[in-house]
Amino acid sequence: MVPALTLSVEPLAHRHHHPARRAPCSGSSGFRRSLNRAVTSRARVTMLSRQDPGADGAAGTPLFLGIDFGTSGARYALIDRQGAIHSEGKRAYAPVGDAAGWASSWRAALFQLLGDIPPAHRPSISSISIDGTSATTLIVDSETGELLAGPFLYNESFPDALPAVESIAPANHTVCSASSTLCKLVSWWNTAGSDGTGSGSAAVLMHQSDWLLWLLHGQYGVSDYNNALKVGYDPEADAYPSWLMAQPYSRMLPSVMAPGAPIAAVRDDVRSQYGLSKECVVCTGTTDSIAAFLAARTAGPGRAVTSLGSTLAVKLVSEARVDDARFGVYSHRLDDAWLVGGASNTGGAVLRQLFTDDQLVALSRDIDPAAASPLDYYPLPRKGERFPVSDPDMAPRLQPRPESDAEYLHGILESIARIEAKGYSLLRELGATAVEEVFTAGGGAQNEKWTTIRERVLGVPVRKAEQTEAAYGAALLALKGADRRVGAIAS
Ligand SMILES: Nc1ncnc2c1ncn2[C@@H]1O[C@H](COP(=O)(O)OP(=O)(O)O)[C@@H](O)[C@H]1O
Ligand SMILES: O=C(CO)[C@H](O)[C@H](O)COP(=O)(O)O
């Protein structure tokens, strides 16, 4: 019997809690949202097989498409109103020569995935949403659509811009990290702006998921308050702060809506090429770790989702908002809840440098998860860490390597678990609600030995989320957007 699931984000009391600073945020003092509003909708997940062109019950059952653009590849999930998956698929990114190559690789994956959806389903797609990696930034010419600069990837650091950003933002604000979107924008502005190209009124900033959604709807300058967090948007005030709006580049910033808000209909050329309905609406997206949180469908203070993908991103439902760039800690808003957390550069990317997925499965069989590994590593794919230590120069530590690969893997998995545990205990020290239960999303969720190691190291229950793919969370956003689209579509 598939348990009924509750899609709810319990509203929480909001206190503006910045232990590292008391930001003079306008309108935030005494900021409170009703505790009574709950976003719930009950649905039952009945897993259909992966490609079920004929299994959508009544012909034309409305379907909702979520597409996840993670670090190593893109995936889609097509669900119905009950949350049943009617089709899903994935595409690896085409090899990338240079930074600009990432944009064409993502664009290729987007339209390949649309082409992978069974044609019989496409007319029933009511809405589409996309999640992408956080702080991945593109500068686009809004007159020609041409890519002017970037993509600057989520984990790329721009320390040259940090002094300028720290001079305008409150102390320890989320943007005061070398990998923040604002540092990427200011670094570009300081180079391109000086020779005049940056001051052109046509240049606009887009996040990865904004840009991919733009390929589908064609409207410039729309983002969501999760993606916009690291450029400086204040999700509590629902506005860009005055210290940011005072900057010469502020006109490049997108307008901001809630995740899963209707933007516009699919542009005619895309709609006709892929057989989509005129009714199909494109909705704002979110970041990949928020989409993974949504997919886990957990709620309530103390509940957390760790995304064990190429990176390790933690999201903890907290009654208090906590932001502190000294440690790479920030709070995302999700309706009436705060998701406190951060993203470490540790995670699967290091594993993939050392082992194939098949080797991971084989070697994990020889690990005794009850035994603590004596090996103490800090696994990073290259220098630079964001959370729970914010240090762009931090070096990886993966030595000494034992003879046994199984012991080596055990040491790495346990060391990543220790970083995860340090992350959650840091959030608690900074004033967030204590973690009580962790759900796991991403590729690492399939490793049961790792789950047992993590449960031992974290000291709280750890389980695989029922839906571990961020694409499912993006599909839930599309479902939410479809219900809000009446009269809301931009002309
Ligand atoms: N059995 C396994 N045990 C641990 N990690 C795994 C296993 N299989 C895959 N992974 C890791 O999962 C990661 C891919 O997860 P995924 O969620 O697709 O990442 P992303 O979305 O960040 O690209 C890879 O880096 C890989 O090392
Ligand atoms: O690590 C990442 C890539 O997978 C991103 O940084 C991840 O999206 C975390 O950022 P956020 O917490 O803003 O979602």
Side-chain angles (χ1 to χ4, degrees), residues 206-218:
M206 287 187 173
H207 305 94
Q208 179 190 25
S209 58
D210 304 339
W211 182 76
L212 288 157
L213 288 163
W214 165 75
L215 292 174
L216 299 180
H217 61 66

PDB file of all heavy atoms in Angstrom, residues 206-218:
ATOM      1  N   MET A 206      21.461  36.384 -15.523  1.00  0.00           N
ATOM      2  CA  MET A 206      20.549  35.240 -15.428  1.00  0.00           C
ATOM      3  C   MET A 206      21.241  34.128 -14.642  1.00  0.00           C
ATOM      4  O   MET A 206      22.448  33.921 -14.791  1.00  0.00           O
ATOM      5  CB  MET A 206      20.208  34.705 -16.819  1.00  0.00           C
ATOM      6  CG  MET A 206      19.277  35.572 -17.634  1.00  0.00           C
ATOM      7  SD  MET A 206      18.840  34.676 -19.148  1.00  0.00           S
ATOM      8  CE  MET A 206      17.607  35.762 -19.842  1.00  0.00           C
ATOM      9  N   HIS A 207      20.460  33.417 -13.837  1.00  0.00           N
ATOM     10  CA  HIS A 207      20.964  32.206 -13.207  1.00  0.00           C
ATOM     11  C   HIS A 207      20.757  31.056 -14.192  1.00  0.00           C
ATOM     12  O   HIS A 207      19.969  31.162 -15.122  1.00  0.00           O
ATOM     13  CB  HIS A 207      20.230  31.940 -11.900  1.00  0.00           C
ATOM     14  CG  HIS A 207      20.281  33.093 -10.943  1.00  0.00           C
ATOM     15  ND1 HIS A 207      19.291  34.054 -10.869  1.00  0.00           N
ATOM     16  CD2 HIS A 207      21.233  33.467 -10.063  1.00  0.00           C
ATOM     17  CE1 HIS A 207      19.608  34.959  -9.959  1.00  0.00           C
ATOM     18  NE2 HIS A 207      20.793  34.635  -9.447  1.00  0.00           N
ATOM     19  N   GLN A 208      21.409  29.929 -13.927  1.00  0.00           N
ATOM     20  CA  GLN A 208      21.334  28.808 -14.867  1.00  0.00           C
ATOM     21  C   GLN A 208      19.888  28.420 -15.149  1.00  0.00           C
ATOM     22  O   GLN A 208      19.479  28.312 -16.318  1.00  0.00           O
ATOM     23  CB  GLN A 208      22.092  27.594 -14.296  1.00  0.00           C
ATOM     24  CG  GLN A 208      22.061  26.380 -15.181  1.00  0.00           C
ATOM     25  CD  GLN A 208      22.599  25.142 -14.477  1.00  0.00           C
ATOM     26  OE1 GLN A 208      22.581  25.046 -13.254  1.00  0.00           O
ATOM     27  NE2 GLN A 208      23.091  24.182 -15.253  1.00  0.00           N
ATOM     28  N   SER A 209      19.063  28.253 -14.112  1.00  0.00           N
ATOM     29  CA  SER A 209      17.689  27.793 -14.392  1.00  0.00           C
ATOM     30  C   SER A 209      16.865  28.909 -15.027  1.00  0.00           C
ATOM     31  O   SER A 209      16.006  28.648 -15.882  1.00  0.00           O
ATOM     32  CB  SER A 209      17.018  27.278 -13.118  1.00  0.00           C
ATOM     33  OG  SER A 209      16.991  28.259 -12.120  1.00  0.00           O
ATOM     34  N   ASP A 210      17.172  30.185 -14.694  1.00  0.00           N
ATOM     35  CA  ASP A 210      16.463  31.296 -15.365  1.00  0.00           C
ATOM     36  C   ASP A 210      16.718  31.227 -16.868  1.00  0.00           C
ATOM     37  O   ASP A 210      15.817  31.413 -17.682  1.00  0.00           O
ATOM     38  CB  ASP A 210      16.989  32.664 -14.885  1.00  0.00           C
ATOM     39  CG  ASP A 210      16.925  32.873 -13.390  1.00  0.00           C
ATOM     40  OD1 ASP A 210      16.134  32.180 -12.714  1.00  0.00           O
ATOM     41  OD2 ASP A 210      17.685  33.717 -12.896  1.00  0.00           O
ATOM     42  N   TRP A 211      17.996  30.980 -17.216  1.00  0.00           N
ATOM     43  CA  TRP A 211      18.389  31.005 -18.640  1.00  0.00           C
ATOM     44  C   TRP A 211      17.753  29.844 -19.390  1.00  0.00           C
ATOM     45  O   TRP A 211      17.243  29.979 -20.491  1.00  0.00           O
ATOM     46  CB  TRP A 211      19.915  30.941 -18.738  1.00  0.00           C
ATOM     47  CG  TRP A 211      20.466  30.995 -20.125  1.00  0.00           C
ATOM     48  CD1 TRP A 211      20.577  32.100 -20.933  1.00  0.00           C
ATOM     49  CD2 TRP A 211      20.982  29.891 -20.888  1.00  0.00           C
ATOM     50  NE1 TRP A 211      21.111  31.751 -22.143  1.00  0.00           N
ATOM     51  CE2 TRP A 211      21.377  30.403 -22.147  1.00  0.00           C
ATOM     52  CE3 TRP A 211      21.145  28.534 -20.628  1.00  0.00           C
ATOM     53  CZ2 TRP A 211      21.930  29.590 -23.142  1.00  0.00           C
ATOM     54  CZ3 TRP A 211      21.695  27.725 -21.618  1.00  0.00           C
ATOM     55  CH2 TRP A 211      22.071  28.256 -22.855  1.00  0.00           C
ATOM     56  N   LEU A 212      17.731  28.670 -18.764  1.00  0.00           N
ATOM     57  CA  LEU A 212      17.129  27.501 -19.402  1.00  0.00           C
ATOM     58  C   LEU A 212      15.624  27.703 -19.565  1.00  0.00           C
ATOM     59  O   LEU A 212      15.057  27.385 -20.616  1.00  0.00           O
ATOM     60  CB  LEU A 212      17.426  26.250 -18.581  1.00  0.00           C
ATOM     61  CG  LEU A 212      18.888  25.794 -18.665  1.00  0.00           C
ATOM     62  CD1 LEU A 212      19.269  24.955 -17.454  1.00  0.00           C
ATOM     63  CD2 LEU A 212      19.149  25.019 -19.962  1.00  0.00           C
ATOM     64  N   LEU A 213      14.976  28.298 -18.568  1.00  0.00           N
ATOM     65  CA  LEU A 213      13.536  28.580 -18.679  1.00  0.00           C
ATOM     66  C   LEU A 213      13.295  29.631 -19.764  1.00  0.00           C
ATOM     67  O   LEU A 213      12.336  29.535 -20.537  1.00  0.00           O
ATOM     68  CB  LEU A 213      12.989  29.064 -17.323  1.00  0.00           C
ATOM     69  CG  LEU A 213      12.871  27.986 -16.244  1.00  0.00           C
ATOM     70  CD1 LEU A 213      12.721  28.607 -14.857  1.00  0.00           C
ATOM     71  CD2 LEU A 213      11.716  27.036 -16.535  1.00  0.00           C
ATOM     72  N   TRP A 214      14.177  30.604 -19.865  1.00  0.00           N
ATOM     73  CA  TRP A 214      14.075  31.647 -20.897  1.00  0.00           C
ATOM     74  C   TRP A 214      14.116  31.024 -22.292  1.00  0.00           C
ATOM     75  O   TRP A 214      13.376  31.457 -23.196  1.00  0.00           O
ATOM     76  CB  TRP A 214      15.211  32.662 -20.728  1.00  0.00           C
ATOM     77  CG  TRP A 214      15.434  33.571 -21.893  1.00  0.00           C
ATOM     78  CD1 TRP A 214      14.670  34.645 -22.262  1.00  0.00           C
ATOM     79  CD2 TRP A 214      16.499  33.481 -22.855  1.00  0.00           C
ATOM     80  NE1 TRP A 214      15.189  35.226 -23.400  1.00  0.00           N
ATOM     81  CE2 TRP A 214      16.318  34.530 -23.789  1.00  0.00           C
ATOM     82  CE3 TRP A 214      17.594  32.621 -23.008  1.00  0.00           C
ATOM     83  CZ2 TRP A 214      17.188  34.733 -24.851  1.00  0.00           C
ATOM     84  CZ3 TRP A 214      18.464  32.806 -24.069  1.00  0.00           C
ATOM     85  CH2 TRP A 214      18.245  33.853 -24.979  1.00  0.00           C
ATOM     86  N   LEU A 215      14.884  29.960 -22.463  1.00  0.00           N
ATOM     87  CA  LEU A 215      14.922  29.281 -23.761  1.00  0.00           C
ATOM     88  C   LEU A 215      13.536  28.743 -24.119  1.00  0.00           C
ATOM     89  O   LEU A 215      13.215  28.544 -25.286  1.00  0.00           O
ATOM     90  CB  LEU A 215      15.934  28.131 -23.754  1.00  0.00           C
ATOM     91  CG  LEU A 215      17.404  28.503 -23.658  1.00  0.00           C
ATOM     92  CD1 LEU A 215      18.258  27.240 -23.511  1.00  0.00           C
ATOM     93  CD2 LEU A 215      17.852  29.312 -24.880  1.00  0.00           C
ATOM     94  N   LEU A 216      12.703  28.526 -23.090  1.00  0.00           N
ATOM     95  CA  LEU A 216      11.370  27.965 -23.338  1.00  0.00           C
ATOM     96  C   LEU A 216      10.299  29.049 -23.450  1.00  0.00           C
ATOM     97  O   LEU A 216       9.322  28.876 -24.164  1.00  0.00           O
ATOM     98  CB  LEU A 216      10.980  26.987 -22.222  1.00  0.00           C
ATOM     99  CG  LEU A 216      11.866  25.757 -22.034  1.00  0.00           C
ATOM    100  CD1 LEU A 216      11.334  24.893 -20.887  1.00  0.00           C
ATOM    101  CD2 LEU A 216      11.955  24.942 -23.322  1.00  0.00           C
ATOM    102  N   HIS A 217      10.467  30.190 -22.731  1.00  0.00           N
ATOM    103  CA  HIS A 217       9.382  31.185 -22.755  1.00  0.00           C
ATOM    104  C   HIS A 217       9.765  32.501 -23.416  1.00  0.00           C
ATOM    105  O   HIS A 217       8.914  33.310 -23.782  1.00  0.00           O
ATOM    106  CB  HIS A 217       8.823  31.424 -21.345  1.00  0.00           C
ATOM    107  CG  HIS A 217       9.809  31.954 -20.350  1.00  0.00           C
ATOM    108  ND1 HIS A 217      10.371  33.208 -20.447  1.00  0.00           N
ATOM    109  CD2 HIS A 217      10.336  31.398 -19.245  1.00  0.00           C
ATOM    110  CE1 HIS A 217      11.205  33.386 -19.433  1.00  0.00           C
ATOM    111  NE2 HIS A 217      11.199  32.306 -18.684  1.00  0.00           N
ATOM    112  N   GLY A 218      11.088  32.787 -23.478  1.00  0.00           N
ATOM    113  CA  GLY A 218      11.532  33.945 -24.247  1.00  0.00           C
ATOM    114  C   GLY A 218      11.440  35.291 -23.567  1.00  0.00           C
ATOM    115  O   GLY A 218      11.721  36.334 -24.157  1.00  0.00           O
TER     116      GLY A 218
END
